[in-house]
Amino acid sequence: MKKLISILICVTILICSFSMGANASFNSLLETEADVVLLVNTDSETVIFDKNADKQTAPASITKIVTCILVLENCDNLNTVLTCKRECLNGLYEQNAATVGILAGEQMTVKELLYCLMIPSAADAANILADYIGGGLDNFVVMMNDFVKKLGCENTTFINAHGLDEGGGNITTAYDLYKIAKYCMQNPTFKEITSTLRHEIAPTNKYPYIRYLNNTNKMMNSAYKDYYSPYISGIKTGTTAMAGRCVISTASKDGYNYMLIVMNAPQYDIDKDGVEENVAFTDSKKIYEWAFDNIVLTKVTNTTDVVTVVDVKYNWNVDHLRLLPAEELSALVPSGTESGSLVVRPIESETPTEVKAPIKKGDVLGKAEVLYGEDVVATVDLVAAEDIDRNILLWLLDGLKTIFSTTIFKLVFGFFVLLVIIYILLIIRKNRIKAKRKKIRMIKG
């Protein structure tokens, strides 16, 4: 049953990914230091801001969102106790990986390991879970790549479950990560774990003390004033030499909901206080504040406004037909936007310049795009403003005209004319022969 639900959700996400048509991308209104940024309003699937969002880059520990969701979907009992194999720890400490210090032979439940995986971003937990679910680390990587392909992620490849740069590291894009994260956030347990600020792991058979886990997303922690925002939650951070500073998060305020992906950001002392700041966090906070302060839902089309006029065929009395928006649409646009700042423009490839009667009021005859500057903020169908009847005589005459203009008709007509000419020539020749014979008889007579 779990697999069936998983497949259905995958299909839904894939369909939605193709319908992210409302793409405002107000890129000119905001500057960021991170190399890759994608801000999506999750209420309407509107891309508000994107910067190199289709560029392949390393995701670092954001990789672990795939590890987490595969565990949740393939483990029937999260209270199952796992024993850490020594080979699951190989190479992690040499790579200076983030861990919670799990020891070979140490036992934890799957759920405890998931908290270790997602809150402090433990690579040791990633390998233990991957080995258990996949029956081996290599097979789990195959599962990861199969999973993202089902979501329509064509630019993503994984070679490990933790996101370290070993062997060239994993590769993805912000657009692909959005598809993955959107899918993951539909799982209640995933959402609960990734939104947890602090968690405790009880002593184990190998470790006699409580492990205190703190979320690596400092934007959720009020102790970090440069990063903190009460509206931000989850989802995952990541940092490696190849990936830079990365974070994928969500934020909600006043009924507006967003998901933001920031990747390959630097770290340096922004305010000259002797402490380096994580620019993935500072960029994220700035972007969210800008969106909440400046992007509002505004009516952008009115069903009584004429968008364009097209010619009409087959009617004596009506030469032109008005096309109107099929519905009143609202879109996310910068606050203070007035109707004069928006332009509703027919899409030439989808809107004819001439239509043929009969036409019913409300018939969909074209499509238009709503522009704010150079940015498309919405698209809408165009419909007929009135009924128009067909004049049968005009229709028949046009039909005959069409027939007469066809190549086949021209060939047949030409052949017919040729036959007539040949017939006339034969008649003339026959008459000449008769006249000649008659003349001969008269001379002989």
Side-chain angles (χ1 to χ4, degrees), residues 8 41 99 126 216 244 252 272 334 348 384 432:
L8 290 174
N41 178 281
T99 71
T216 55
S252 300
K272 310 301 180 183
E348 291 185 5
R432 284 180 177 175

Side-chain angles (χ1 to χ4, degrees), residues 198-218:
R198 297 181 181 87
H199 189 74
E200 296 180 5
I201 301 293
T204 68
N205 64 316
K206 292 281 188 177
Y207 193 84
Y209 308 106
I210 294 175
R211 283 183 171 92
Y212 296 95
L213 311 180
N214 293 305
N215 201 306
T216 55
N217 185 353
K218 295 178 180 179

Side-chain angles (χ1 to χ4, degrees), residues 315 318 321 357-363 384-390:
N315 188 283
V318 179
L321 172 68
I359 298 162
K360 294 294 183 184
K361 181 179 180 179
D363 282 351
E386 57 189 316
D387 294 332
I388 298 178
D389 295 326
R390 174 192 290 169

Side-chain angles (χ1 to χ4, degrees), residues 40-46 48 178 182 251-259 292 297 332:
V40 181
N41 178 281
T42 54
D43 305 307
S44 61
E45 295 296 307
T46 302
I48 300 298
Y178 175 74
K182 181 185 174 185
S252 300
K253 181 184 179 184
D254 299 333
Y256 292 89
N257 300 286
Y258 291 96
M259 183 179 291
F292 288 132
L297 193 65
L332 293 161

Side-chain angles (χ1 to χ4, degrees), residues 122-227:
D124 44 5
N127 277 354
I128 296 166
L129 290 167
D131 179 71
Y132 170 67
I133 296 298
L137 296 178
D138 290 342
N139 192 54
F140 187 78
V141 170
V142 173
M143 293 174 63
M144 295 173 75
N145 287 309
D146 288 345
F147 168 75
V148 296
K149 289 299 181 290
K150 289 178 182 177
L151 291 181
C153 301
E154 298 297 329
N155 297 299
T156 298
T157 303
F158 294 109
I159 64 170
N160 61 55
H162 44 60
L164 294 173
D165 291 339
E166 62 180 21
N170 302 326
I171 200 78
T172 189
T173 67
Y175 280 126
D176 278 1
L177 282 179
Y178 175 74
K179 296 175 188 178
I180 297 166
K182 181 185 174 185
Y183 175 90
C184 292
M185 289 295 282
Q186 295 183 70
N187 185 295
T189 306
F190 179 94
K191 193 171 183 178
E192 175 191 339
I193 292 173
T194 57
S195 62
T196 300
L197 181 60
R198 297 181 181 87
H199 189 74
E200 296 180 5
I201 301 293
T204 68
N205 64 316
K206 292 281 188 177
Y207 193 84
Y209 308 106
I210 294 175
R211 283 183 171 92
Y212 296 95
L213 311 180
N214 293 305
N215 201 306
T216 55
N217 185 353
K218 295 178 180 179
M219 294 185 293
M220 297 167 56
N221 192 334
S222 60
Y224 296 91
K225 64 177 183 178
D226 289 338
Y227 306 142

Side-chain angles (χ1 to χ4, degrees), residues 43 84 119 124 142 165 168 191 194 347 401 404 433 444:
D43 305 307
C84 174
I119 297 180
D124 44 5
V142 173
D165 291 339
K191 193 171 183 178
T194 57
I347 300 173
K401 179 182 176 182
F404 293 159
I433 292 172
K444 288 181 178 182

Side-chain angles (χ1 to χ4, degrees), residues 24 26 38-49 178 181-182 185 191 231-235 248-261 284 287-297 331-335:
F26 301 112
L38 178 64
L39 176 67
V40 181
N41 178 281
T42 54
D43 305 307
S44 61
E45 295 296 307
T46 302
V47 176
I48 300 298
F49 184 91
Y178 175 74
K182 181 185 174 185
M185 289 295 282
K191 193 171 183 178
Y231 311 112
I232 298 175
S233 181
I235 299 175
I248 178 169
S249 60
T250 61
S252 300
K253 181 184 179 184
D254 299 333
Y256 292 89
N257 300 286
Y258 291 96
M259 183 179 291
L260 174 62
I261 299 161
S284 293
I287 292 167
Y288 278 133
E289 289 178 347
W290 169 81
F292 288 132
D293 291 344
N294 294 283
I295 303 299
V296 295
L297 193 65
L332 293 161
V333 296
S335 58

Side-chain angles (χ1 to χ4, degrees), residues 285-315:
K285 183 178 179 180
K286 178 176 74 172
I287 292 167
Y288 278 133
E289 289 178 347
W290 169 81
F292 288 132
D293 291 344
N294 294 283
I295 303 299
V296 295
L297 193 65
T298 303
K299 188 169 76 171
V300 295
T301 61
N302 193 312
T303 56
T304 60
D305 293 338
V306 178
V307 175
T308 189
V309 175
V310 295
D311 295 335
V312 176
K313 293 184 68 174
Y314 310 147
N315 188 283

